[in-house]
Amino acid sequence: MFLEPQETMPQTSVVFSSILGPSCSGQVQPGMGERGGGAGSSGDLVFQDGRLISGSLEALMEHLVPTVDYYPDRTYIFTFLLSSRVFIPPHDLLARVGQICLEQRQQLEAGSDKARLKSFSAKIVQLLKEWTEAFPYDFQDEKAMAELKAITHRVTQCDEENCTVKKAIAQMTQSLLLSLAARSQLQELREKLRSPAMDKGPILKAKPPAAQKDILGVCCDPLVLAQQLTHIELERVSSIHPEDLMQIVSHMDSRDKHRCRGDLIKTYSLEAYDNWFNCLSMLVATEVCRVVKKKHRTRMLEFFIDVARECFNIGNFNSMMAIISGMNLSPVARLKKTWSKVKTAKFDVLEHHMDPSSNFCNYRTALQGATQRSQMANSSREKIVIPVFNLFVKDIYFLHKIHTNHLPNGHINFKKFWDISRQIHEFMTWTQVECPFEKDKKIQSYLLTAPIYSEEALFIASFESEGPENHMEKDSWKTLRTTLLNRA
């Protein structure tokens, strides 16, 4: 499966549409368009049914760079820029692009055809524009920024009369700097925010006062809480970028001798989003275990079951899975007397959707249905798709592991990266949906800052609610009590 150009990539800007001409869109067949510097000198590109499936790194880099008569397909631009970091750091790729551009420019200058030189310059700027918009973080590196300035300086010399290209470069640079500044500020802000306080609980009395506020005291409507969870999910997932996801491929396989080296792995956004899932699961368990009366615990369980169901209806599968995981944690799952009072029919349905058998077949069917709804949607409510992030990451890694990066002839297995790129691009499309629900700061503040119990505190609260029933639980309870008393 491959990305469809007309549906997935940004369209050429109005500034360049008249200059680039009709040859800039659609997929390019083998041999279409001439390149300076001898395309194919480092290995030919291999196509199958009109699709590029393999090639040497050098040939793939040359295929990225436009000529007077050629502009790369936008799906190829996105896929190659995304996947190339597995083999070469972005600043080195940019340097090679600059070399290829210089070679072509010198050939065009020798021909003294200013119109063709101007057309070529416009296409180079358009390529750089797409690069800086799709992967602005590539240019936080001083080397990459220096290469960008060098290329744009050479390009502006070809358009001294009407300054069209120069103006476009200025706009591109301004947008890039704004994007980098915004990302830097967002990262600084997120690093200041801490995970919800971990409440270790009193030594042997984990129960809070009966009057202490719980989630039902803040929000008793399952739909409203599901909507606020969706707000938080979309805000957090929006900080994940394609290159973050590609690190799953470029840095997890230490045996790949060609993997990108040098830069430290920046996985903060991935770790923060994964941490949110864990915190939500622990919050659910805390809210259940801290309740004193069995009747109220039953109500709390039924409330979270309804919240999870509303998340499913919205398309927020990540929060749904986190809630189910929280209710399946041992301190909650062992509360048999409480669960006996719960109407579990709804919970059984939810667990059916998240049944791990057959590689989560039921969940994947539901996800496919939500995806189709999103594609046909007329409103933001219907566009929401928030997959179970851990499963998405595993899918990407699985694609990476079952297919080699290189073919026996030394070519890069580009078909593999088409598939990975398609999945990442689809995920990024979901992250860009604007949340249609009104934000409730009070509810969100509670969800993000309410203290959550440690695993030990959860077990204390659980055993105090319903005492140990078998020898294993009695031993665990005795060991836990001894450990906590000694620690005190």
Side-chain angles (χ1 to χ4, degrees), residues 193-354:
L193 297 175
R194 300 302 180 192
S195 300
M198 185 67 74
D199 187 351
K200 296 182 179 180
I203 296 303
L204 289 177
K205 193 64 178 175
K207 292 297 184 181
Q212 185 171 330
K213 183 169 62 175
D214 59 20
I215 187 65
L216 289 173
V218 178
C219 177
C220 60
D221 187 332
L223 175 58
V224 172
L225 189 62
Q227 292 174 346
Q228 296 310 305
L229 287 171
T230 302
H231 242 299
I232 295 172
E233 291 278 357
L234 289 173
E235 286 179 0
R236 300 222 164 191
V237 79
S238 66
S239 66
I240 296 175
H241 304 287
E243 58 269 32
D244 298 327
L245 295 169
M246 202 62 190
Q247 289 178 1
I248 300 167
V249 173
S250 61
H251 295 286
M252 287 180 73
D253 190 356
S254 60
R255 293 173 298 175
D256 188 352
K257 297 179 181 179
H258 299 281
R259 67 191 179 96
C260 180
R261 295 182 177 88
D263 296 335
L264 293 175
I265 302 174
K266 299 179 179 67
T267 58
Y268 178 81
S269 57
L270 301 182
E271 292 172 356
Y273 190 50
D274 185 59
N275 186 55
W276 153 248
F277 180 97
N278 295 330
C279 286
L280 179 55
S281 294
M282 293 296 284
L283 177 62
V284 170
T286 299
E287 291 291 322
V288 174
C289 290
R290 68 202 289 260
V291 177
V292 177
K293 296 182 178 179
K294 181 171 63 177
K295 181 174 68 174
H296 293 164
R297 284 197 303 277
T298 300
R299 183 187 175 200
M300 186 68 74
L301 281 171
E302 291 180 339
F303 174 72
F304 276 117
I305 290 171
D306 287 338
V307 173
R309 186 179 64 166
E310 294 296 349
C311 287
F312 177 84
N313 293 336
I314 290 172
N316 181 358
F317 299 105
N318 201 56
S319 288
M320 173 191 172
M321 177 66 98
I323 293 170
I324 293 175
S325 297
M327 290 189 286
N328 280 328
L329 289 176
S330 295
V332 180
R334 64 165 299 276
L335 298 172
K336 295 180 181 179
K337 294 177 182 178
T338 304
W339 278 102
S340 68
K341 301 296 182 181
V342 175
K343 299 176 182 177
T344 58
K346 297 176 184 177
F347 188 68
D348 292 340
V349 172
L350 294 175
E351 287 209 307
H352 172 75
H353 287 306
M354 293 296 147

Side-chain angles (χ1 to χ4, degrees), residues 16-17 26 68 87 121 153 224 237 243 264-265 381 414 455 488:
F16 295 100
S17 58
V68 175
F87 309 99
S121 299
H153 175 71
V224 172
V237 79
E243 58 269 32
L264 293 175
I265 302 174
R381 287 173 178 258
F414 205 68
E455 185 177 359

